Each structure stands twice: as structure tokens, then as C-alpha cells.
Amino acid sequence: MADFLMALPKAELHLHLEGSVEPETLHELDPATPVEEFRALYTYADFDAFLKAFAAVGKLLRTPEDYALVTHRLLERLAAQNVRYAEIIVAAGVVLWKGQDFGPIFDAIRKASQGSAVEVRWILDAVRQFGVEAAMQVAELAAERTGQGVVAYGIGGSEQRGPAEWFTEVFAFAKRAGLRLTAHAGESMGPESVWAALELGAERIGHGITSARDPKLLDHLRAHDIPLEICITSNLVTGVVKQLDQHPIRTLYDAGVPIVLNSDDPGMFRCSLTDEYRLAARAFGFSEAELRSIAQNGFRYAFRAVT
Ligand code: HPA
Ligand code: ZN
């Protein structure tokens, strides 16, 4: 199985650049802080504690060079796992929140990705709880960069503190600009949050795991061919799923909902895409044929234009 998973050509569709940063790299960026402190930052009492840690990592990325460094490190790790294609989510909302200019940061990230064995596209992501104006600024940044590998616009952060209904106009704007649409939803809230994201026009759902509680929603996702970006380790580490055997991946898959496997924040969760496949096999009995079809979904549901 290990050889099979390594040899399998894989794609990452739900992967945050900032969440990919290892504690050791944070220590390199901020040598005055012991690495143990960064390891401690990467343990979360609950989902909101994770969101706070995510913002703290964003703050430690101070310069375009810092962003370039973490992009290099991430792409090396992806290439080593035979990940052929990645849509990397950049928290442009956090960059603006820090009061930084996004242009030089994006240019540095993009340059750092050139020459990688991994084909890369970008998703710019706004933070729900930062509100609609901040989200619109992120959509504008994305719209200006559709010729530079930005394929989609998304929202993440707190579903509770930033309901999807706020973002109707923003998503309409992004769509008119030619961007594809995704939203984190049904991660820390129930299926109603997934319905609300679909109402916005989301074409993929980040996590969407609570859809398993709503048979009508499962039918809808299957009938409309809307994939869920599943990240098993993430859900356990942030505490939105309490125990591995309670994760609904099997229920979702068996209901015929398209699923893709992803690592979400591999540095912050100390996981990898290959490990997510291994976990799916070990804990949920996915066969090699099933895992191959899930891996193919990673390419099938990509937002890149098919060339
Ligand atoms: N959910 C919400 N916000 C996030 C996530 C996530 O999985 N990763 C980084 N920010
Ligand atoms: Zn995420």
C-alpha cells in the first residue's frame, strides 16, 4: 500500500500556504522564539484556538522573502510525494489585515513556484469574520490576477462569526471576473451552512463534513456533482470531529458524493497528503481502486482550465 500511495499521481485542492509552515521554519523566521514554543502553538484546545494560531503564523510571515521561503519548502514536500498539481490557498485576507501590500507578496510566491515539478494554481481566500468589505478587497486582488495563475476565490475562518449570506455580492463579483468559487462550510457548523455556501454559488465545498447529517443535501451534492474537499487529520486536530471512527468520510463516499482528499494545513497539523490516503485506507477500508478514483477526482475537480 505504501508504494502504491507514493506512486499514485496526486493533486491537492485544499491546502493553505500559511498552514503548511513547519514549527522549525517558524523558528528560522523568528530565531528569538524557541522551536518548542512554535510546537506548542500547534496544539489547539478547539477550532477557534486553531484559527488564532493560523493568524499568528500569518503574522510571522513578514516579508515577500518569507512567503517565498515557505512556498519553496511546501513545493519540495509536495513533489517528494508525487503531488503533480496543487491549488494553493493564500490567505490574502490575512495579508490585508496585517496592513501589507499584497502585490509584492504574491509576486514572490509565484516566482518561488516557477520551476517546480508541481503544477500550481492559486486560490485567494478571505476570512469570513473580517467582514464583507475586507472580503471584497480580496476578491478584487483575485480578479486582477486571473492572468497570473489565480483560478478561484474562497472564504475560510469562522462560519459562526461570518455567515455566508454576507458574501452574496462578493461571490457574484468574483464570478463575473471569471473566478471559480469555493467556500469552507459544514466544518464547524451544520448542513445549513453548506446550503448557504451553495446559495452563494460555491462549486466546491471545503470540508462539508456535516452534510452527512442531511440526506437531501447528500442527494443535491451528488446530483450537481459538487465535491467535498475532505481533510481527515485537520478535522481531528481542530476538534470538529472528536474521534477518528466518527469521521463521516465513508458515509459521504457511499452516498455517491464526489470527494477529494487533502491535507489542509500540513505544517500546523503535522500531516501529509500521502498520510491522508493511508489513513483513509487503514481507518475506513478504502481499497486501492477506490483510492485511485479519489486521486483522479483531485484532477477532475481542479479549477484550472483544461489545456
Ligand atoms: N477552516 C477554516 N479556516 C481555515 C482553515 C480551515 O480548514 N484552514 C485555514 N484557515
Ligand atoms: Zn482549510
Side-chain angles (χ1 to χ4, degrees), residues 120-160:
V120 180
R121 298 291 188 277
W122 310 100
I123 298 173
L124 300 195
D125 156 282
V127 181
R128 283 166 170 262
Q129 66 271 26
F130 290 176
V132 68
E133 277 173 32
M136 185 56 109
Q137 284 168 11
V138 172
E140 285 165 359
L141 293 174
E144 289 160 11
R145 289 171 177 79
T146 51
Q148 297 171 56
V150 175
V151 289
Y153 173 76
I155 51 172
S158 171
E159 295 169 70
Q160 287 85 355

Short mmCIF file of all heavy atoms in Angstrom, two decimals, residues 120-160:
data_model
loop_
_atom_site.label_atom_id
_atom_site.label_comp_id
_atom_site.label_asym_id
_atom_site.label_seq_id
_atom_site.Cartn_x
_atom_site.Cartn_y
_atom_site.Cartn_z
N VAL A 120 1.09 24.47 -10.35
CA VAL A 120 0.44 25.21 -9.26
C VAL A 120 -0.56 26.23 -9.80
O VAL A 120 -0.30 26.91 -10.80
CB VAL A 120 1.50 25.94 -8.40
CG1 VAL A 120 0.83 26.72 -7.28
CG2 VAL A 120 2.50 24.96 -7.81
N ARG A 121 -1.68 26.31 -9.13
CA ARG A 121 -2.63 27.41 -9.31
C ARG A 121 -2.92 27.98 -7.92
O ARG A 121 -2.64 27.33 -6.91
CB ARG A 121 -3.93 26.94 -9.96
CG ARG A 121 -3.77 26.37 -11.33
CD ARG A 121 -3.39 27.42 -12.38
NE ARG A 121 -3.42 26.84 -13.72
CZ ARG A 121 -2.41 26.15 -14.26
NH1 ARG A 121 -1.30 25.94 -13.59
NH2 ARG A 121 -2.51 25.66 -15.48
N TRP A 122 -3.52 29.17 -7.89
CA TRP A 122 -3.72 29.86 -6.61
C TRP A 122 -5.20 30.13 -6.36
O TRP A 122 -5.95 30.44 -7.27
CB TRP A 122 -2.96 31.20 -6.63
CG TRP A 122 -1.54 31.03 -7.05
CD1 TRP A 122 -1.03 31.29 -8.28
CD2 TRP A 122 -0.45 30.53 -6.25
NE1 TRP A 122 0.32 30.97 -8.30
CE2 TRP A 122 0.70 30.51 -7.07
CE3 TRP A 122 -0.34 30.08 -4.92
CZ2 TRP A 122 1.95 30.07 -6.62
CZ3 TRP A 122 0.90 29.65 -4.48
CH2 TRP A 122 2.02 29.65 -5.31
N ILE A 123 -5.55 30.04 -5.10
CA ILE A 123 -6.89 30.44 -4.65
C ILE A 123 -6.68 31.54 -3.62
O ILE A 123 -5.94 31.33 -2.63
CB ILE A 123 -7.65 29.26 -4.01
CG1 ILE A 123 -7.85 28.12 -5.03
CG2 ILE A 123 -8.99 29.73 -3.44
CD1 ILE A 123 -8.45 26.84 -4.45
N LEU A 124 -7.25 32.70 -3.82
CA LEU A 124 -7.14 33.75 -2.80
C LEU A 124 -8.35 33.66 -1.89
O LEU A 124 -9.49 33.55 -2.35
CB LEU A 124 -7.04 35.14 -3.44
CG LEU A 124 -5.85 35.38 -4.38
CD1 LEU A 124 -5.67 36.87 -4.65
CD2 LEU A 124 -4.56 34.77 -3.87
N ASP A 125 -8.06 33.73 -0.61
CA ASP A 125 -9.09 33.39 0.36
C ASP A 125 -9.27 34.55 1.36
O ASP A 125 -8.31 35.15 1.81
CB ASP A 125 -8.61 32.06 0.97
CG ASP A 125 -9.09 31.69 2.32
OD1 ASP A 125 -8.55 32.24 3.26
OD2 ASP A 125 -9.98 30.82 2.42
N ALA A 126 -10.53 34.87 1.60
CA ALA A 126 -10.89 35.90 2.57
C ALA A 126 -11.30 35.23 3.88
O ALA A 126 -11.67 34.06 3.89
CB ALA A 126 -12.05 36.74 2.03
N VAL A 127 -11.23 36.01 4.95
CA VAL A 127 -11.56 35.48 6.28
C VAL A 127 -12.99 35.92 6.60
O VAL A 127 -13.27 37.12 6.66
CB VAL A 127 -10.56 36.02 7.33
CG1 VAL A 127 -10.87 35.47 8.70
CG2 VAL A 127 -9.12 35.68 6.92
N ARG A 128 -13.88 34.94 6.78
CA ARG A 128 -15.30 35.26 6.95
C ARG A 128 -15.54 36.34 8.01
O ARG A 128 -16.24 37.32 7.76
CB ARG A 128 -16.06 33.99 7.38
CG ARG A 128 -16.36 33.00 6.27
CD ARG A 128 -16.79 31.70 6.90
NE ARG A 128 -17.33 30.70 5.99
CZ ARG A 128 -18.62 30.48 5.77
NH1 ARG A 128 -19.54 31.22 6.36
NH2 ARG A 128 -19.02 29.51 4.96
N GLN A 129 -14.92 36.15 9.19
CA GLN A 129 -15.26 37.05 10.32
C GLN A 129 -14.65 38.44 10.17
O GLN A 129 -14.96 39.32 10.98
CB GLN A 129 -14.87 36.40 11.66
CG GLN A 129 -13.39 36.19 11.90
CD GLN A 129 -12.89 34.85 11.39
OE1 GLN A 129 -13.45 34.25 10.48
NE2 GLN A 129 -11.80 34.36 11.97
N PHE A 130 -13.82 38.66 9.15
CA PHE A 130 -13.30 40.01 8.92
C PHE A 130 -14.31 40.88 8.15
O PHE A 130 -14.07 42.06 7.96
CB PHE A 130 -11.96 39.98 8.15
CG PHE A 130 -10.79 39.43 8.94
CD1 PHE A 130 -9.55 39.28 8.34
CD2 PHE A 130 -10.92 39.09 10.29
CE1 PHE A 130 -8.45 38.78 9.05
CE2 PHE A 130 -9.84 38.58 11.01
CZ PHE A 130 -8.61 38.42 10.39
N GLY A 131 -15.39 40.26 7.69
CA GLY A 131 -16.49 41.05 7.13
C GLY A 131 -16.45 41.21 5.63
O GLY A 131 -15.51 40.79 4.95
N VAL A 132 -17.51 41.84 5.15
CA VAL A 132 -17.76 41.86 3.71
C VAL A 132 -16.81 42.82 2.97
O VAL A 132 -16.38 42.53 1.85
CB VAL A 132 -19.25 42.16 3.43
CG1 VAL A 132 -19.66 43.57 3.83
CG2 VAL A 132 -19.61 41.87 2.00
N GLU A 133 -16.45 43.93 3.58
CA GLU A 133 -15.57 44.87 2.85
C GLU A 133 -14.19 44.27 2.64
O GLU A 133 -13.61 44.37 1.56
CB GLU A 133 -15.46 46.19 3.61
CG GLU A 133 -16.63 47.11 3.30
CD GLU A 133 -16.64 48.35 4.17
OE1 GLU A 133 -15.56 48.83 4.55
OE2 GLU A 133 -17.75 48.81 4.49
N ALA A 134 -13.67 43.66 3.69
CA ALA A 134 -12.36 43.00 3.57
C ALA A 134 -12.45 41.87 2.54
O ALA A 134 -11.52 41.66 1.75
CB ALA A 134 -11.93 42.46 4.94
N ALA A 135 -13.56 41.15 2.54
CA ALA A 135 -13.73 40.04 1.58
C ALA A 135 -13.76 40.56 0.15
O ALA A 135 -13.22 39.93 -0.77
CB ALA A 135 -15.00 39.26 1.90
N MET A 136 -14.38 41.73 -0.04
CA MET A 136 -14.43 42.32 -1.39
C MET A 136 -13.04 42.74 -1.84
O MET A 136 -12.69 42.58 -3.01
CB MET A 136 -15.41 43.49 -1.41
CG MET A 136 -15.62 44.08 -2.79
SD MET A 136 -16.16 42.86 -4.03
CE MET A 136 -17.85 43.36 -4.28
N GLN A 137 -12.25 43.26 -0.91
CA GLN A 137 -10.88 43.64 -1.29
C GLN A 137 -10.09 42.42 -1.77
O GLN A 137 -9.32 42.50 -2.73
CB GLN A 137 -10.17 44.30 -0.11
CG GLN A 137 -10.64 45.74 0.11
CD GLN A 137 -10.17 46.31 1.45
OE1 GLN A 137 -9.32 45.72 2.13
NE2 GLN A 137 -10.73 47.43 1.82
N VAL A 138 -10.30 41.30 -1.11
CA VAL A 138 -9.61 40.06 -1.54
C VAL A 138 -10.11 39.63 -2.93
O VAL A 138 -9.32 39.24 -3.80
CB VAL A 138 -9.80 38.93 -0.51
CG1 VAL A 138 -9.26 37.60 -1.04
CG2 VAL A 138 -9.14 39.29 0.81
N ALA A 139 -11.42 39.75 -3.15
CA ALA A 139 -11.97 39.38 -4.47
C ALA A 139 -11.37 40.27 -5.56
O ALA A 139 -11.09 39.79 -6.67
CB ALA A 139 -13.49 39.49 -4.45
N GLU A 140 -11.16 41.54 -5.25
CA GLU A 140 -10.57 42.44 -6.24
C GLU A 140 -9.12 42.04 -6.54
O GLU A 140 -8.70 42.02 -7.70
CB GLU A 140 -10.65 43.89 -5.75
CG GLU A 140 -12.07 44.45 -5.88
CD GLU A 140 -12.33 45.73 -5.09
OE1 GLU A 140 -11.40 46.20 -4.39
OE2 GLU A 140 -13.47 46.22 -5.16
N LEU A 141 -8.38 41.69 -5.50
CA LEU A 141 -6.99 41.22 -5.70
C LEU A 141 -6.98 39.98 -6.59
O LEU A 141 -6.11 39.83 -7.46
CB LEU A 141 -6.32 40.91 -4.36
CG LEU A 141 -6.05 42.09 -3.43
CD1 LEU A 141 -5.52 41.58 -2.08
CD2 LEU A 141 -5.07 43.07 -4.05
N ALA A 142 -7.92 39.09 -6.36
CA ALA A 142 -8.00 37.85 -7.15
C ALA A 142 -8.36 38.18 -8.60
O ALA A 142 -7.74 37.65 -9.54
CB ALA A 142 -9.01 36.89 -6.54
N ALA A 143 -9.34 39.07 -8.77
CA ALA A 143 -9.80 39.42 -10.12
C ALA A 143 -8.68 40.04 -10.94
O ALA A 143 -8.58 39.82 -12.15
CB ALA A 143 -10.99 40.38 -10.02
N GLU A 144 -7.79 40.78 -10.29
CA GLU A 144 -6.67 41.42 -11.00
C GLU A 144 -5.61 40.39 -11.42
O GLU A 144 -4.70 40.74 -12.17
CB GLU A 144 -5.99 42.45 -10.08
CG GLU A 144 -6.83 43.70 -9.82
CD GLU A 144 -6.37 44.46 -8.55
OE1 GLU A 144 -5.29 44.13 -7.99
OE2 GLU A 144 -7.12 45.35 -8.12
N ARG A 145 -5.68 39.19 -10.90
CA ARG A 145 -4.60 38.22 -11.12
C ARG A 145 -5.04 36.93 -11.81
O ARG A 145 -4.36 35.91 -11.72
CB ARG A 145 -3.93 37.90 -9.77
CG ARG A 145 -3.12 39.10 -9.27
CD ARG A 145 -2.61 38.92 -7.85
NE ARG A 145 -1.80 40.07 -7.47
CZ ARG A 145 -2.29 41.26 -7.09
NH1 ARG A 145 -3.61 41.45 -7.02
NH2 ARG A 145 -1.50 42.27 -6.80
N THR A 146 -6.18 37.00 -12.52
CA THR A 146 -6.62 35.78 -13.21
C THR A 146 -5.62 35.38 -14.31
O THR A 146 -5.55 34.21 -14.67
CB THR A 146 -8.03 35.95 -13.83
OG1 THR A 146 -8.02 37.13 -14.62
CG2 THR A 146 -9.11 36.06 -12.77
N GLY A 147 -4.85 36.35 -14.81
CA GLY A 147 -3.83 36.02 -15.82
C GLY A 147 -2.53 35.54 -15.20
O GLY A 147 -1.58 35.23 -15.91
N GLN A 148 -2.50 35.48 -13.88
CA GLN A 148 -1.25 35.09 -13.19
C GLN A 148 -1.44 33.83 -12.35
O GLN A 148 -0.81 33.68 -11.30
CB GLN A 148 -0.77 36.24 -12.30
CG GLN A 148 -0.42 37.51 -13.08
CD GLN A 148 -0.16 38.69 -12.15
OE1 GLN A 148 0.67 38.63 -11.27
NE2 GLN A 148 -0.92 39.74 -12.34
N GLY A 149 -2.34 32.99 -12.78
CA GLY A 149 -2.49 31.70 -12.11
C GLY A 149 -3.51 31.67 -10.99
O GLY A 149 -3.70 30.63 -10.35
N VAL A 150 -4.17 32.79 -10.72
CA VAL A 150 -5.24 32.77 -9.69
C VAL A 150 -6.50 32.25 -10.38
O VAL A 150 -7.01 32.86 -11.31
CB VAL A 150 -5.48 34.15 -9.07
CG1 VAL A 150 -6.67 34.11 -8.11
CG2 VAL A 150 -4.23 34.63 -8.33
N VAL A 151 -6.97 31.10 -9.91
CA VAL A 151 -8.12 30.47 -10.56
C VAL A 151 -9.41 30.64 -9.78
O VAL A 151 -10.49 30.46 -10.32
CB VAL A 151 -7.89 28.97 -10.83
CG1 VAL A 151 -6.86 28.78 -11.93
CG2 VAL A 151 -7.49 28.22 -9.57
N ALA A 152 -9.30 30.94 -8.47
CA ALA A 152 -10.53 30.92 -7.68
C ALA A 152 -10.47 31.87 -6.50
O ALA A 152 -9.39 32.34 -6.10
CB ALA A 152 -10.80 29.49 -7.18
N TYR A 153 -11.64 32.09 -5.98
CA TYR A 153 -11.84 32.91 -4.79
C TYR A 153 -12.53 32.03 -3.74
O TYR A 153 -13.39 31.22 -4.08
CB TYR A 153 -12.73 34.11 -5.14
CG TYR A 153 -13.13 34.92 -3.95
CD1 TYR A 153 -12.22 35.79 -3.35
CD2 TYR A 153 -14.40 34.81 -3.39
CE1 TYR A 153 -12.57 36.53 -2.22
CE2 TYR A 153 -14.77 35.55 -2.27
CZ TYR A 153 -13.84 36.40 -1.70
OH TYR A 153 -14.18 37.13 -0.58
N GLY A 154 -12.15 32.22 -2.48
CA GLY A 154 -12.79 31.41 -1.43
C GLY A 154 -12.92 32.17 -0.13
O GLY A 154 -12.35 33.26 0.04
N ILE A 155 -13.68 31.59 0.79
CA ILE A 155 -13.78 32.13 2.15
C ILE A 155 -13.48 31.01 3.14
O ILE A 155 -13.86 29.86 2.94
CB ILE A 155 -15.17 32.76 2.45
CG1 ILE A 155 -16.32 31.82 2.11
CG2 ILE A 155 -15.33 34.10 1.76
CD1 ILE A 155 -17.71 32.32 2.57
N GLY A 156 -12.77 31.42 4.23
CA GLY A 156 -12.47 30.48 5.30
C GLY A 156 -12.69 31.16 6.63
O GLY A 156 -13.32 32.22 6.70
N GLY A 157 -12.15 30.56 7.68
CA GLY A 157 -12.32 31.16 9.01
C GLY A 157 -13.57 30.65 9.70
O GLY A 157 -13.92 29.48 9.55
N SER A 158 -14.24 31.54 10.43
CA SER A 158 -15.34 31.12 11.30
C SER A 158 -16.70 31.20 10.59
O SER A 158 -17.16 32.28 10.25
CB SER A 158 -15.36 32.00 12.55
OG SER A 158 -16.53 31.76 13.29
N GLU A 159 -17.33 30.04 10.43
CA GLU A 159 -18.68 30.03 9.84
C GLU A 159 -19.67 30.74 10.75
O GLU A 159 -20.60 31.39 10.27
CB GLU A 159 -19.14 28.58 9.63
CG GLU A 159 -18.32 27.81 8.62
CD GLU A 159 -18.64 26.32 8.66
OE1 GLU A 159 -19.73 25.92 8.24
OE2 GLU A 159 -17.77 25.55 9.13
N GLN A 160 -19.45 30.61 12.06
CA GLN A 160 -20.37 31.22 13.02
C GLN A 160 -20.31 32.73 12.98
O GLN A 160 -21.33 33.40 13.04
CB GLN A 160 -20.04 30.78 14.47
CG GLN A 160 -20.41 29.37 14.81
CD GLN A 160 -19.32 28.36 14.39
OE1 GLN A 160 -18.32 28.72 13.75
NE2 GLN A 160 -19.54 27.10 14.72
#
